[in-house]
Amino acid sequence: MPGGVNSPVRAFGSVEKTPVFIARGKGSKIYDIAGNEYIDYVCSWGPLIAGHCHPKVVSAVNAAAKRGTSFGAPTIAETELAEMICSAFDSIDKVRLVSSGTEAVMTAVRLARAFTDRKYILKMEGCYHGHSDSMLVNAGSGSAEFSKPLCPGVPKEIASLTLAAEYNNIDSAAKVFDKYKNEIACCIIEPVAANMGVVLPKAGYLQSLRKLCDNNKSLLIFDEVITGFRLYYGGAQKIFNVRPDITCLGKIVGGGLPCAAVGGRAEIMNLLAPIGSVYQAGTLSGNPLATTASIATLKLLKTKNFYSKLEENSKFLEKGLLSAAKKTNIPMTINRIGSLMSCFFTKNRVENFEDAKTANVKLFKTFFAGMLERGVYLAPSPFEAMFVSAAHSKKDIAKTIFTAQNVFGKL
Ligand code: HOZ
């Protein structure tokens, strides 16, 4: 395997370490092949909001496996999941299930181009929307470190159809819309950016973007692969009260198995084959194991106080880390919304990709290594997020804060 991995960030390249190989997980913990235990804040990069091996998810998947792992034909579980997604998201009338966030975004962009009969798309610098050709322009996540400014293998002609503006800067987006009048099919954005570290939208920014799209007859696509079901049952769009035309979902919507979704207004979604002629297909789309894991997970999210408990624990973690940094004189800014957060080694505010890049990477690397050695598993890159799950106990978090203070003291 190139780099020994199947997804670049796992190689620990950005923290200059050798990755640990994981043998198993349970609740808030993972265990490496040498038997070491770690409190896990990666949680498979977001899907495991209920923690590893939640008994309800495991037993549902076991039962589904006994009935058959794949049919390539319609099943009741797909319908049930589609209904759950449509009722959770006000903006989604119809949904198509796919297997990854990358696929969901590819389909969303194709739909937007077909609906508007325009070719340009606008994205924000540092936002990451999967690894399709059009989306690797000024992208965050692992791509930020490898594909500067453009990923080899993406033809310049294709990349030239992707325009970029600064996140959180409405004037920057307005300028692009002015320059490409009546030519922009859609604007795609992570409503809360989580692939340049976590960066929250400024007050009114998403609303202004909605207006800008409307004034230019362009579609607004929210990539809620990370935020959908994490911040709220109904996504970031519910919290910020902005209704996109198309929404991309992934991660939690698969409950730890490969499942993602693209959904939106019926008149747009009806362009998809077999009703319309926009083509998209997949052998494992709506796979019975994945849809079963998803349904079991979404049911857990509906239990009383699920999100308020997550908020309480995540706030405890944020406060504890900030106070540990203060006590040890470490410059630190934490951006957090709900159970999604990032620590930036800087005293300055982080509101866009440029700000994120000014944080001290050397301190991050040493912090990461110190935490790992002491049993806390963080994302091995300064441009990724920390995920708190419902399985993280107060004790886990207190231990994390204590460990961080210890490590900060040695930086
Ligand atoms: N693209 C993911 C981070 N935003 C990483 C996926 C993985 O390596 O599993």
Side-chain angles (χ1 to χ4, degrees), residues 68-140:
T69 56
S70 183
F71 306 111
T75 59
I76 294 293
E78 289 165 277
T79 313
E80 192 180 340
L81 177 57
E83 274 172 357
M84 287 177 98
I85 294 171
C86 291
S87 60
F89 285 79
D90 298 337
S91 67
I92 301 184
D93 301 329
K94 290 196 177 194
V95 66
R96 171 143 300 172
L97 302 179
V98 292
S99 297
S100 71
T102 293
E103 273 184 81
V105 169
M106 279 165 56
T107 306
V109 167
R110 187 171 300 153
L111 276 169
R113 283 177 162 149
F115 187 78
T116 57
D117 196 20
R118 296 174 178 180
K119 61 182 179 189
Y120 286 98
I121 54 185
L122 172 62
K123 76 178 283 292
M124 304 303 151
E125 289 154 9
C127 281
Y128 178 75
H129 305 288
H131 64 274
S132 67
D133 283 355
S134 307
M135 288 300 144
L136 288 180
V137 176
N138 281 304

Side-chain angles (χ1 to χ4, degrees), residues 315-333:
K315 195 172 182 178
F316 173 39
L317 180 60
E318 177 194 3
K319 280 191 158 178
L321 290 175
L322 278 175
S323 111
K326 201 167 172 196
K327 277 187 205 146
T328 47
N329 256 328
I330 294 294
M332 168 138 313
T333 292

Side-chain angles (χ1 to χ4, degrees), residues 7 9-10 45 128 141 195 251 384:
S7 189
V9 71
R10 299 179 197 176
W45 302 94
Y128 178 75
S141 189
N195 285 286
K251 305 218 188 245
E384 304 284 356

Side-chain angles (χ1 to χ4, degrees), residues 30 147 157 194 248 331 378:
I30 49 175
S147 308
E157 293 81 354
C248 300
L378 302 172

Side-chain angles (χ1 to χ4, degrees), residues 41-57:
Y41 290 100
V42 176
C43 290
S44 184
W45 302 94
L48 302 178
I49 192 164
H52 292 271
C53 293
H54 190 285
K56 290 226 163 98
V57 179

